[in-house]
Amino acid sequence: MSKKHLYALAILICCTMLSACKVSEENLSSITKARDELTQQKGFAEEIYGKLTTDAYGEDLLAYETQYNAITDFDTEKLKDKDVQELLPKINNLTESYKTLYSEMEKELEVEGNALAESAKHTEILCYIENKSGSEFNSIILKDTSLATETENYLKEGTTLPSGRILTGIILPINLDSNSRILSVTDTLGNVYDYALNIENISSAAENGISIILGIPENGAEISSYSSNN
């Protein structure tokens, strides 16, 4: 064989060997697509995490990011088919991990949203209660008749509120979905009286407080600003 033919054969062998070392177009397409999907799922997970108030998923995201950086830091020009076979399962597994974590955070976001919506229905009103009924009370309870809920007795055990005295520092829990509330009082003789609690402007009351004067049961309760009778 002539030197010319030998030289051509050597070049052919070298080209064949170089071609065998490079990643195939099919594998290159597969790993590029997998990496792009992983990057997308990573972005989705980090975006929804930013909407949560809890940091419970922070450690998982940090661990996943470390894995992400390790398995996506490759040069496609230097990839070989065997590299793709090693990397592709790792990329797909991490993608699934991100999807699972996203689903968990999506549920948590719904829970937080529901809790926030429920919290928005509630407010508190600072008030003082003045007894002008002529009776001595040993129990004062706020009842929400719409929701069938009630507070504990505002008077501590063993204490009373005589007529002409004021009970200060009372916090009234208000559910904005309700429109029917009463102060149910019991006097030392065992008589129970219900005073309708009609608060016209709850927002203002929550901001500024109110005073409640309990007159004789027939006259009901008088409600005004916190400072007007204090």
Side-chain angles (χ1 to χ4, degrees), residues 136-152:
E136 185 174 0
F137 301 148
N138 59 16
S139 176
I140 301 176
I141 296 172
L142 171 65
K143 293 184 177 181
D144 188 320
T145 53
S146 294
L147 303 176
T149 61
E150 62 181 52
T151 65
E152 295 183 355

PDB file of all heavy atoms in Angstrom, residues 136-152:
ATOM      1  N   GLU A 136     -76.129  43.612  90.670  1.00  0.00           N
ATOM      2  CA  GLU A 136     -74.710  43.254  90.749  1.00  0.00           C
ATOM      3  C   GLU A 136     -74.466  42.011  89.889  1.00  0.00           C
ATOM      4  O   GLU A 136     -75.114  40.981  90.069  1.00  0.00           O
ATOM      5  CB  GLU A 136     -74.325  42.974  92.208  1.00  0.00           C
ATOM      6  CG  GLU A 136     -72.842  42.702  92.405  1.00  0.00           C
ATOM      7  CD  GLU A 136     -72.478  42.576  93.882  1.00  0.00           C
ATOM      8  OE1 GLU A 136     -73.387  42.703  94.735  1.00  0.00           O
ATOM      9  OE2 GLU A 136     -71.289  42.345  94.176  1.00  0.00           O
ATOM     10  N   PHE A 137     -73.531  42.112  88.950  1.00  0.00           N
ATOM     11  CA  PHE A 137     -73.274  41.015  88.022  1.00  0.00           C
ATOM     12  C   PHE A 137     -72.142  40.116  88.530  1.00  0.00           C
ATOM     13  O   PHE A 137     -71.137  40.599  89.048  1.00  0.00           O
ATOM     14  CB  PHE A 137     -72.873  41.543  86.644  1.00  0.00           C
ATOM     15  CG  PHE A 137     -73.906  42.420  85.993  1.00  0.00           C
ATOM     16  CD1 PHE A 137     -73.522  43.455  85.148  1.00  0.00           C
ATOM     17  CD2 PHE A 137     -75.259  42.211  86.209  1.00  0.00           C
ATOM     18  CE1 PHE A 137     -74.461  44.267  84.540  1.00  0.00           C
ATOM     19  CE2 PHE A 137     -76.221  43.016  85.595  1.00  0.00           C
ATOM     20  CZ  PHE A 137     -75.814  44.058  84.769  1.00  0.00           C
ATOM     21  N   ASN A 138     -72.321  38.817  88.322  1.00  0.00           N
ATOM     22  CA  ASN A 138     -71.192  37.906  88.566  1.00  0.00           C
ATOM     23  C   ASN A 138     -70.804  37.139  87.305  1.00  0.00           C
ATOM     24  O   ASN A 138     -69.930  36.275  87.324  1.00  0.00           O
ATOM     25  CB  ASN A 138     -71.489  36.932  89.716  1.00  0.00           C
ATOM     26  CG  ASN A 138     -72.719  36.076  89.458  1.00  0.00           C
ATOM     27  OD1 ASN A 138     -73.196  35.983  88.327  1.00  0.00           O
ATOM     28  ND2 ASN A 138     -73.242  35.455  90.507  1.00  0.00           N
ATOM     29  N   SER A 139     -71.451  37.465  86.189  1.00  0.00           N
ATOM     30  CA  SER A 139     -71.096  36.843  84.912  1.00  0.00           C
ATOM     31  C   SER A 139     -71.452  37.776  83.766  1.00  0.00           C
ATOM     32  O   SER A 139     -72.559  38.329  83.724  1.00  0.00           O
ATOM     33  CB  SER A 139     -71.831  35.508  84.734  1.00  0.00           C
ATOM     34  OG  SER A 139     -71.560  34.947  83.459  1.00  0.00           O
ATOM     35  N   ILE A 140     -70.489  37.965  82.849  1.00  0.00           N
ATOM     36  CA  ILE A 140     -70.722  38.730  81.623  1.00  0.00           C
ATOM     37  C   ILE A 140     -70.098  37.935  80.481  1.00  0.00           C
ATOM     38  O   ILE A 140     -68.884  37.691  80.472  1.00  0.00           O
ATOM     39  CB  ILE A 140     -70.088  40.134  81.683  1.00  0.00           C
ATOM     40  CG1 ILE A 140     -70.652  40.931  82.865  1.00  0.00           C
ATOM     41  CG2 ILE A 140     -70.325  40.885  80.370  1.00  0.00           C
ATOM     42  CD1 ILE A 140     -70.006  42.293  83.043  1.00  0.00           C
ATOM     43  N   ILE A 141     -70.905  37.535  79.526  1.00  0.00           N
ATOM     44  CA  ILE A 141     -70.439  36.688  78.418  1.00  0.00           C
ATOM     45  C   ILE A 141     -70.904  37.279  77.094  1.00  0.00           C
ATOM     46  O   ILE A 141     -72.068  37.686  76.956  1.00  0.00           O
ATOM     47  CB  ILE A 141     -70.980  35.246  78.559  1.00  0.00           C
ATOM     48  CG1 ILE A 141     -70.429  34.591  79.831  1.00  0.00           C
ATOM     49  CG2 ILE A 141     -70.625  34.405  77.337  1.00  0.00           C
ATOM     50  CD1 ILE A 141     -71.064  33.242  80.130  1.00  0.00           C
ATOM     51  N   LEU A 142     -70.001  37.332  76.128  1.00  0.00           N
ATOM     52  CA  LEU A 142     -70.375  37.751  74.774  1.00  0.00           C
ATOM     53  C   LEU A 142     -70.804  36.509  73.995  1.00  0.00           C
ATOM     54  O   LEU A 142     -70.046  35.546  73.884  1.00  0.00           O
ATOM     55  CB  LEU A 142     -69.201  38.429  74.074  1.00  0.00           C
ATOM     56  CG  LEU A 142     -69.396  38.732  72.578  1.00  0.00           C
ATOM     57  CD1 LEU A 142     -70.504  39.762  72.381  1.00  0.00           C
ATOM     58  CD2 LEU A 142     -68.099  39.209  71.937  1.00  0.00           C
ATOM     59  N   LYS A 143     -72.000  36.545  73.449  1.00  0.00           N
ATOM     60  CA  LYS A 143     -72.512  35.429  72.660  1.00  0.00           C
ATOM     61  C   LYS A 143     -72.757  35.870  71.224  1.00  0.00           C
ATOM     62  O   LYS A 143     -73.351  36.924  70.989  1.00  0.00           O
ATOM     63  CB  LYS A 143     -73.811  34.883  73.257  1.00  0.00           C
ATOM     64  CG  LYS A 143     -73.643  34.224  74.617  1.00  0.00           C
ATOM     65  CD  LYS A 143     -74.958  33.607  75.097  1.00  0.00           C
ATOM     66  CE  LYS A 143     -74.783  32.876  76.429  1.00  0.00           C
ATOM     67  NZ  LYS A 143     -76.048  32.250  76.885  1.00  0.00           N
ATOM     68  N   ASP A 144     -72.264  35.074  70.294  1.00  0.00           N
ATOM     69  CA  ASP A 144     -72.549  35.301  68.880  1.00  0.00           C
ATOM     70  C   ASP A 144     -73.682  34.355  68.512  1.00  0.00           C
ATOM     71  O   ASP A 144     -73.481  33.154  68.324  1.00  0.00           O
ATOM     72  CB  ASP A 144     -71.306  35.006  68.034  1.00  0.00           C
ATOM     73  CG  ASP A 144     -71.475  35.415  66.593  1.00  0.00           C
ATOM     74  OD1 ASP A 144     -72.576  35.194  66.050  1.00  0.00           O
ATOM     75  OD2 ASP A 144     -70.522  35.952  66.012  1.00  0.00           O
ATOM     76  N   THR A 145     -74.876  34.877  68.438  1.00  0.00           N
ATOM     77  CA  THR A 145     -76.037  34.023  68.217  1.00  0.00           C
ATOM     78  C   THR A 145     -76.128  33.512  66.777  1.00  0.00           C
ATOM     79  O   THR A 145     -76.759  32.491  66.523  1.00  0.00           O
ATOM     80  CB  THR A 145     -77.337  34.779  68.571  1.00  0.00           C
ATOM     81  OG1 THR A 145     -77.363  36.027  67.869  1.00  0.00           O
ATOM     82  CG2 THR A 145     -77.392  35.054  70.070  1.00  0.00           C
ATOM     83  N   SER A 146     -75.477  34.204  65.850  1.00  0.00           N
ATOM     84  CA  SER A 146     -75.476  33.737  64.464  1.00  0.00           C
ATOM     85  C   SER A 146     -74.624  32.480  64.313  1.00  0.00           C
ATOM     86  O   SER A 146     -74.983  31.548  63.583  1.00  0.00           O
ATOM     87  CB  SER A 146     -74.930  34.823  63.527  1.00  0.00           C
ATOM     88  OG  SER A 146     -75.787  35.927  63.480  1.00  0.00           O
ATOM     89  N   LEU A 147     -73.490  32.454  64.999  1.00  0.00           N
ATOM     90  CA  LEU A 147     -72.547  31.348  64.863  1.00  0.00           C
ATOM     91  C   LEU A 147     -72.580  30.388  66.046  1.00  0.00           C
ATOM     92  O   LEU A 147     -71.831  29.412  66.068  1.00  0.00           O
ATOM     93  CB  LEU A 147     -71.128  31.896  64.685  1.00  0.00           C
ATOM     94  CG  LEU A 147     -70.922  32.841  63.497  1.00  0.00           C
ATOM     95  CD1 LEU A 147     -69.503  33.383  63.491  1.00  0.00           C
ATOM     96  CD2 LEU A 147     -71.231  32.123  62.189  1.00  0.00           C
ATOM     97  N   ALA A 148     -73.430  30.697  67.036  1.00  0.00           N
ATOM     98  CA  ALA A 148     -73.582  29.842  68.218  1.00  0.00           C
ATOM     99  C   ALA A 148     -72.252  29.664  68.956  1.00  0.00           C
ATOM    100  O   ALA A 148     -71.865  28.558  69.326  1.00  0.00           O
ATOM    101  CB  ALA A 148     -74.162  28.485  67.826  1.00  0.00           C
ATOM    102  N   THR A 149     -71.543  30.778  69.133  1.00  0.00           N
ATOM    103  CA  THR A 149     -70.299  30.750  69.899  1.00  0.00           C
ATOM    104  C   THR A 149     -70.412  31.728  71.064  1.00  0.00           C
ATOM    105  O   THR A 149     -71.259  32.618  71.064  1.00  0.00           O
ATOM    106  CB  THR A 149     -69.088  31.141  69.031  1.00  0.00           C
ATOM    107  OG1 THR A 149     -69.279  32.483  68.534  1.00  0.00           O
ATOM    108  CG2 THR A 149     -68.937  30.183  67.857  1.00  0.00           C
ATOM    109  N   GLU A 150     -69.548  31.559  72.052  1.00  0.00           N
ATOM    110  CA  GLU A 150     -69.554  32.480  73.182  1.00  0.00           C
ATOM    111  C   GLU A 150     -68.173  32.526  73.827  1.00  0.00           C
ATOM    112  O   GLU A 150     -67.367  31.600  73.692  1.00  0.00           O
ATOM    113  CB  GLU A 150     -70.597  32.075  74.216  1.00  0.00           C
ATOM    114  CG  GLU A 150     -70.377  30.709  74.848  1.00  0.00           C
ATOM    115  CD  GLU A 150     -71.469  30.354  75.848  1.00  0.00           C
ATOM    116  OE1 GLU A 150     -72.663  30.443  75.490  1.00  0.00           O
ATOM    117  OE2 GLU A 150     -71.111  30.004  76.989  1.00  0.00           O
ATOM    118  N   THR A 151     -67.905  33.618  74.517  1.00  0.00           N
ATOM    119  CA  THR A 151     -66.640  33.777  75.222  1.00  0.00           C
ATOM    120  C   THR A 151     -66.758  33.178  76.622  1.00  0.00           C
ATOM    121  O   THR A 151     -67.837  32.764  77.060  1.00  0.00           O
ATOM    122  CB  THR A 151     -66.269  35.260  75.362  1.00  0.00           C
ATOM    123  OG1 THR A 151     -67.246  35.900  76.213  1.00  0.00           O
ATOM    124  CG2 THR A 151     -66.253  35.951  74.006  1.00  0.00           C
ATOM    125  N   GLU A 152     -65.639  33.151  77.308  1.00  0.00           N
ATOM    126  CA  GLU A 152     -65.669  32.807  78.717  1.00  0.00           C
ATOM    127  C   GLU A 152     -66.192  34.009  79.497  1.00  0.00           C
ATOM    128  O   GLU A 152     -66.326  35.116  78.968  1.00  0.00           O
ATOM    129  CB  GLU A 152     -64.266  32.430  79.201  1.00  0.00           C
ATOM    130  CG  GLU A 152     -63.715  31.167  78.554  1.00  0.00           C
ATOM    131  CD  GLU A 152     -62.349  30.795  79.110  1.00  0.00           C
ATOM    132  OE1 GLU A 152     -61.795  31.573  79.931  1.00  0.00           O
ATOM    133  OE2 GLU A 152     -61.837  29.725  78.737  1.00  0.00           O
TER     134      GLU A 152
END
